[in-house]
Amino acid sequence: MTTFDRLSALDAAFLDIETERAPMQVGWTMRFAGEAPGIEQLRSHVESRLESVPRLRRRIVEPAMGLGDPHWVDDQLFAIDRHVNVIHMVASDQQPALSAVAEELLSQPLDRSRPLWRLQLVTGLAEGGFAIIGQAHHALIDGLAALEIATIIFDGVATPNDEAAARWLPEEAPSTSEVLTAAALSRIGAGSDVATTLVRSIAGGPAALVEAVTALVALFTPGNRTALENSASPRRRVAFASLPLERMQGAAQRHGVTINDVLLASSGGAVSGALARRGEQPDGIRVLVPTTVRQPGESAASHGNRISVMVVELPLNANDPGSVLRTVGRRTKTLKRAGYAGTLDTAVRAADLLAPPVRSAAVRAAIGAAHFTLVISNVPGPSAPLELAGRELEGIWPAVPLIDGHALSIGAISHAGVLHVGCFADAALVPDLDLIAADIAATFDQLCEMAPPQQAPWQQRARQRRDARRVA
């Protein structure tokens, strides 16, 4: 029997919700120091590492009339030069910035008849160095897997295997009977997994389960729409910010929150300004914060999407970012304690039990009913410097895809002491994206310079007792 590589319900969901004006493609822009490698050198470099991520040579097959599940099959016509290409910039006073080049490339849809990824080498940048701009469909990978795939090209991350690349031959696609058999077996396994997860959730106590379900219901509670909850075009805008991780860690420690809370509060300040420019001043917005549900040792690049989300009510108060930060910290702590992300993951995995046409209809209905303003994602990256063929990586900025009906996303990746923030937007609706990125950095600076709030006497005594116990 040939290999049957089935898309999970979550993988397939990203195909279901894709529209012409909202392609579900994860993107990233990487900037390097030094002279660019030649295109043939880069192609050989990438191809020698594909053995570790088999899906990079596979395309999606969706059986007619829902007879079987969508699955990956080896692309019989796979060629590395269809996926790794080069753009040579011409030196001139009119040369576009790297962000403008990224906008053009990240606006181009991927071809579903081929493996769903590509890399573009960009040379001749006016400020020196070179860039690689990548895309992969969300059906192939989540944010963590995107980072793992993006980094396999770096020196010392994946072991190159030129011999394996040379002898690779595509497998034949599974037969209809094999597809139907695999679909039946997968539902038996999915049912067992869901039952086990439900038992664990109940064993965690009814209070935590009730909190998690209550938070999930909140996602579908109608609220006031903002100007950022709209779609107009598949054209995208890109803007970057880079925040020193040491300062971010210091601010988080002073205020008793996490790094992710600091990113959320900084983003809140920027979104508040963007809405004010559109004549809107809501007290808060609802944001989706992706969280990984991978188990320790589980390879991100080999298992598709393994994410859930937290639904966070993000207050908007540009005049008091410290208060926003502390409120966000309390709310995310409550959601984590309730195990909300795990509860949603169980619900998503239960969709694996549904026939593809029913699942697709349910996914589209759920997305249409969900109410949120934007996605804010933060993926922890490598702390050590990275190199590609001896050229140092200077920065990596993500592009989180926009769900139809939403005009802005914010993504971040940490690398070598810096949190790189990528803002991604519908070009027709968010012409002020550069201001949003600048406001994220400005709000971040405010939070870093802000003293922690004064504690009440009883809080000081409690802290002194905790410190004394630690010393003892």
PDB file of all heavy atoms in Angstrom, residues 341-361:
ATOM      1  N   ALA A 341      -7.388  26.676  25.383  1.00  0.00           N
ATOM      2  CA  ALA A 341      -6.846  26.259  24.094  1.00  0.00           C
ATOM      3  C   ALA A 341      -7.029  24.770  23.884  1.00  0.00           C
ATOM      4  O   ALA A 341      -7.338  24.302  22.787  1.00  0.00           O
ATOM      5  CB  ALA A 341      -5.359  26.625  24.007  1.00  0.00           C
ATOM      6  N   GLY A 342      -6.875  23.980  24.964  1.00  0.00           N
ATOM      7  CA  GLY A 342      -7.061  22.537  24.856  1.00  0.00           C
ATOM      8  C   GLY A 342      -8.497  22.157  24.565  1.00  0.00           C
ATOM      9  O   GLY A 342      -8.780  21.216  23.819  1.00  0.00           O
ATOM     10  N   THR A 343      -9.437  22.894  25.152  1.00  0.00           N
ATOM     11  CA  THR A 343     -10.847  22.619  24.897  1.00  0.00           C
ATOM     12  C   THR A 343     -11.192  22.876  23.440  1.00  0.00           C
ATOM     13  O   THR A 343     -11.895  22.088  22.799  1.00  0.00           O
ATOM     14  CB  THR A 343     -11.736  23.495  25.811  1.00  0.00           C
ATOM     15  OG1 THR A 343     -11.400  23.219  27.167  1.00  0.00           O
ATOM     16  CG2 THR A 343     -13.201  23.207  25.580  1.00  0.00           C
ATOM     17  N   LEU A 344     -10.707  23.984  22.887  1.00  0.00           N
ATOM     18  CA  LEU A 344     -10.964  24.283  21.484  1.00  0.00           C
ATOM     19  C   LEU A 344     -10.292  23.252  20.584  1.00  0.00           C
ATOM     20  O   LEU A 344     -10.857  22.845  19.557  1.00  0.00           O
ATOM     21  CB  LEU A 344     -10.471  25.687  21.151  1.00  0.00           C
ATOM     22  CG  LEU A 344     -10.716  26.156  19.716  1.00  0.00           C
ATOM     23  CD1 LEU A 344     -12.205  26.092  19.384  1.00  0.00           C
ATOM     24  CD2 LEU A 344     -10.188  27.562  19.506  1.00  0.00           C
ATOM     25  N   ASP A 345      -9.091  22.802  20.949  1.00  0.00           N
ATOM     26  CA  ASP A 345      -8.401  21.784  20.172  1.00  0.00           C
ATOM     27  C   ASP A 345      -9.233  20.506  20.109  1.00  0.00           C
ATOM     28  O   ASP A 345      -9.320  19.845  19.068  1.00  0.00           O
ATOM     29  CB  ASP A 345      -7.031  21.491  20.802  1.00  0.00           C
ATOM     30  CG  ASP A 345      -6.276  20.392  20.075  1.00  0.00           C
ATOM     31  OD1 ASP A 345      -6.127  20.493  18.847  1.00  0.00           O
ATOM     32  OD2 ASP A 345      -5.839  19.434  20.734  1.00  0.00           O
ATOM     33  N   THR A 346      -9.873  20.143  21.231  1.00  0.00           N
ATOM     34  CA  THR A 346     -10.726  18.963  21.251  1.00  0.00           C
ATOM     35  C   THR A 346     -11.894  19.121  20.283  1.00  0.00           C
ATOM     36  O   THR A 346     -12.239  18.198  19.539  1.00  0.00           O
ATOM     37  CB  THR A 346     -11.276  18.716  22.673  1.00  0.00           C
ATOM     38  OG1 THR A 346     -10.172  18.584  23.572  1.00  0.00           O
ATOM     39  CG2 THR A 346     -12.120  17.462  22.720  1.00  0.00           C
ATOM     40  N   ALA A 347     -12.492  20.315  20.266  1.00  0.00           N
ATOM     41  CA  ALA A 347     -13.613  20.568  19.365  1.00  0.00           C
ATOM     42  C   ALA A 347     -13.174  20.469  17.907  1.00  0.00           C
ATOM     43  O   ALA A 347     -13.884  19.894  17.067  1.00  0.00           O
ATOM     44  CB  ALA A 347     -14.199  21.946  19.647  1.00  0.00           C
ATOM     45  N   VAL A 348     -11.991  21.001  17.615  1.00  0.00           N
ATOM     46  CA  VAL A 348     -11.492  20.964  16.239  1.00  0.00           C
ATOM     47  C   VAL A 348     -11.189  19.528  15.829  1.00  0.00           C
ATOM     48  O   VAL A 348     -11.525  19.088  14.715  1.00  0.00           O
ATOM     49  CB  VAL A 348     -10.241  21.851  16.095  1.00  0.00           C
ATOM     50  CG1 VAL A 348      -9.561  21.624  14.744  1.00  0.00           C
ATOM     51  CG2 VAL A 348     -10.615  23.315  16.251  1.00  0.00           C
ATOM     52  N   ARG A 349     -10.588  18.757  16.729  1.00  0.00           N
ATOM     53  CA  ARG A 349     -10.255  17.374  16.398  1.00  0.00           C
ATOM     54  C   ARG A 349     -11.500  16.524  16.227  1.00  0.00           C
ATOM     55  O   ARG A 349     -11.513  15.540  15.474  1.00  0.00           O
ATOM     56  CB  ARG A 349      -9.328  16.800  17.466  1.00  0.00           C
ATOM     57  CG  ARG A 349      -7.929  17.408  17.409  1.00  0.00           C
ATOM     58  CD  ARG A 349      -7.114  17.129  18.636  1.00  0.00           C
ATOM     59  NE  ARG A 349      -6.807  15.727  18.797  1.00  0.00           N
ATOM     60  CZ  ARG A 349      -6.193  15.226  19.875  1.00  0.00           C
ATOM     61  NH1 ARG A 349      -5.854  16.027  20.857  1.00  0.00           N
ATOM     62  NH2 ARG A 349      -5.931  13.949  19.951  1.00  0.00           N
ATOM     63  N   ALA A 350     -12.581  16.894  16.920  1.00  0.00           N
ATOM     64  CA  ALA A 350     -13.843  16.170  16.749  1.00  0.00           C
ATOM     65  C   ALA A 350     -14.347  16.296  15.319  1.00  0.00           C
ATOM     66  O   ALA A 350     -15.061  15.415  14.815  1.00  0.00           O
ATOM     67  CB  ALA A 350     -14.885  16.690  17.735  1.00  0.00           C
ATOM     68  N   ALA A 351     -13.975  17.381  14.640  1.00  0.00           N
ATOM     69  CA  ALA A 351     -14.391  17.567  13.248  1.00  0.00           C
ATOM     70  C   ALA A 351     -13.796  16.512  12.331  1.00  0.00           C
ATOM     71  O   ALA A 351     -14.289  16.294  11.217  1.00  0.00           O
ATOM     72  CB  ALA A 351     -13.999  18.969  12.765  1.00  0.00           C
ATOM     73  N   ASP A 352     -12.737  15.823  12.770  1.00  0.00           N
ATOM     74  CA  ASP A 352     -12.170  14.728  11.989  1.00  0.00           C
ATOM     75  C   ASP A 352     -13.158  13.585  11.814  1.00  0.00           C
ATOM     76  O   ASP A 352     -12.987  12.742  10.932  1.00  0.00           O
ATOM     77  CB  ASP A 352     -10.895  14.195  12.655  1.00  0.00           C
ATOM     78  CG  ASP A 352      -9.657  14.986  12.269  1.00  0.00           C
ATOM     79  OD1 ASP A 352      -9.542  15.323  11.078  1.00  0.00           O
ATOM     80  OD2 ASP A 352      -8.828  15.262  13.136  1.00  0.00           O
ATOM     81  N   LEU A 353     -14.190  13.536  12.659  1.00  0.00           N
ATOM     82  CA  LEU A 353     -15.186  12.472  12.563  1.00  0.00           C
ATOM     83  C   LEU A 353     -16.204  12.733  11.460  1.00  0.00           C
ATOM     84  O   LEU A 353     -16.953  11.835  11.072  1.00  0.00           O
ATOM     85  CB  LEU A 353     -15.922  12.325  13.905  1.00  0.00           C
ATOM     86  CG  LEU A 353     -15.046  11.991  15.128  1.00  0.00           C
ATOM     87  CD1 LEU A 353     -15.860  12.075  16.393  1.00  0.00           C
ATOM     88  CD2 LEU A 353     -14.428  10.608  14.963  1.00  0.00           C
ATOM     89  N   LEU A 354     -16.263  13.957  10.957  1.00  0.00           N
ATOM     90  CA  LEU A 354     -17.277  14.339   9.978  1.00  0.00           C
ATOM     91  C   LEU A 354     -16.831  14.010   8.552  1.00  0.00           C
ATOM     92  O   LEU A 354     -15.641  14.026   8.244  1.00  0.00           O
ATOM     93  CB  LEU A 354     -17.571  15.835  10.079  1.00  0.00           C
ATOM     94  CG  LEU A 354     -18.047  16.361  11.442  1.00  0.00           C
ATOM     95  CD1 LEU A 354     -18.184  17.873  11.394  1.00  0.00           C
ATOM     96  CD2 LEU A 354     -19.361  15.704  11.839  1.00  0.00           C
ATOM     97  N   ALA A 355     -17.808  13.741   7.703  1.00  0.00           N
ATOM     98  CA  ALA A 355     -17.515  13.572   6.279  1.00  0.00           C
ATOM     99  C   ALA A 355     -17.063  14.914   5.711  1.00  0.00           C
ATOM    100  O   ALA A 355     -17.530  15.972   6.155  1.00  0.00           O
ATOM    101  CB  ALA A 355     -18.752  13.075   5.558  1.00  0.00           C
ATOM    102  N   PRO A 356     -16.154  14.918   4.711  1.00  0.00           N
ATOM    103  CA  PRO A 356     -15.611  16.179   4.198  1.00  0.00           C
ATOM    104  C   PRO A 356     -16.644  17.229   3.813  1.00  0.00           C
ATOM    105  O   PRO A 356     -16.477  18.399   4.183  1.00  0.00           O
ATOM    106  CB  PRO A 356     -14.765  15.722   2.992  1.00  0.00           C
ATOM    107  CG  PRO A 356     -14.310  14.357   3.367  1.00  0.00           C
ATOM    108  CD  PRO A 356     -15.466  13.752   4.116  1.00  0.00           C
ATOM    109  N   PRO A 357     -17.732  16.907   3.095  1.00  0.00           N
ATOM    110  CA  PRO A 357     -18.689  17.973   2.750  1.00  0.00           C
ATOM    111  C   PRO A 357     -19.346  18.593   3.982  1.00  0.00           C
ATOM    112  O   PRO A 357     -19.574  19.808   4.026  1.00  0.00           O
ATOM    113  CB  PRO A 357     -19.724  17.255   1.870  1.00  0.00           C
ATOM    114  CG  PRO A 357     -19.017  16.047   1.354  1.00  0.00           C
ATOM    115  CD  PRO A 357     -18.110  15.618   2.460  1.00  0.00           C
ATOM    116  N   VAL A 358     -19.650  17.753   4.988  1.00  0.00           N
ATOM    117  CA  VAL A 358     -20.278  18.259   6.212  1.00  0.00           C
ATOM    118  C   VAL A 358     -19.290  19.121   6.988  1.00  0.00           C
ATOM    119  O   VAL A 358     -19.625  20.201   7.493  1.00  0.00           O
ATOM    120  CB  VAL A 358     -20.777  17.092   7.089  1.00  0.00           C
ATOM    121  CG1 VAL A 358     -21.381  17.605   8.391  1.00  0.00           C
ATOM    122  CG2 VAL A 358     -21.789  16.251   6.320  1.00  0.00           C
ATOM    123  N   ARG A 359     -18.051  18.645   7.072  1.00  0.00           N
ATOM    124  CA  ARG A 359     -17.019  19.400   7.790  1.00  0.00           C
ATOM    125  C   ARG A 359     -16.787  20.760   7.137  1.00  0.00           C
ATOM    126  O   ARG A 359     -16.695  21.787   7.808  1.00  0.00           O
ATOM    127  CB  ARG A 359     -15.714  18.610   7.806  1.00  0.00           C
ATOM    128  CG  ARG A 359     -14.609  19.243   8.635  1.00  0.00           C
ATOM    129  CD  ARG A 359     -13.244  18.911   8.112  1.00  0.00           C
ATOM    130  NE  ARG A 359     -13.043  19.421   6.769  1.00  0.00           N
ATOM    131  CZ  ARG A 359     -12.745  18.667   5.711  1.00  0.00           C
ATOM    132  NH1 ARG A 359     -12.611  17.365   5.835  1.00  0.00           N
ATOM    133  NH2 ARG A 359     -12.585  19.214   4.510  1.00  0.00           N
ATOM    134  N   SER A 360     -16.699  20.793   5.811  1.00  0.00           N
ATOM    135  CA  SER A 360     -16.457  22.054   5.107  1.00  0.00           C
ATOM    136  C   SER A 360     -17.572  23.057   5.375  1.00  0.00           C
ATOM    137  O   SER A 360     -17.306  24.235   5.633  1.00  0.00           O
ATOM    138  CB  SER A 360     -16.348  21.802   3.597  1.00  0.00           C
ATOM    139  OG  SER A 360     -15.224  21.002   3.304  1.00  0.00           O
ATOM    140  N   ALA A 361     -18.818  22.572   5.323  1.00  0.00           N
ATOM    141  CA  ALA A 361     -19.952  23.460   5.582  1.00  0.00           C
ATOM    142  C   ALA A 361     -19.920  23.978   7.008  1.00  0.00           C
ATOM    143  O   ALA A 361     -20.197  25.159   7.269  1.00  0.00           O
ATOM    144  CB  ALA A 361     -21.263  22.734   5.303  1.00  0.00           C
TER     145      ALA A 361
END
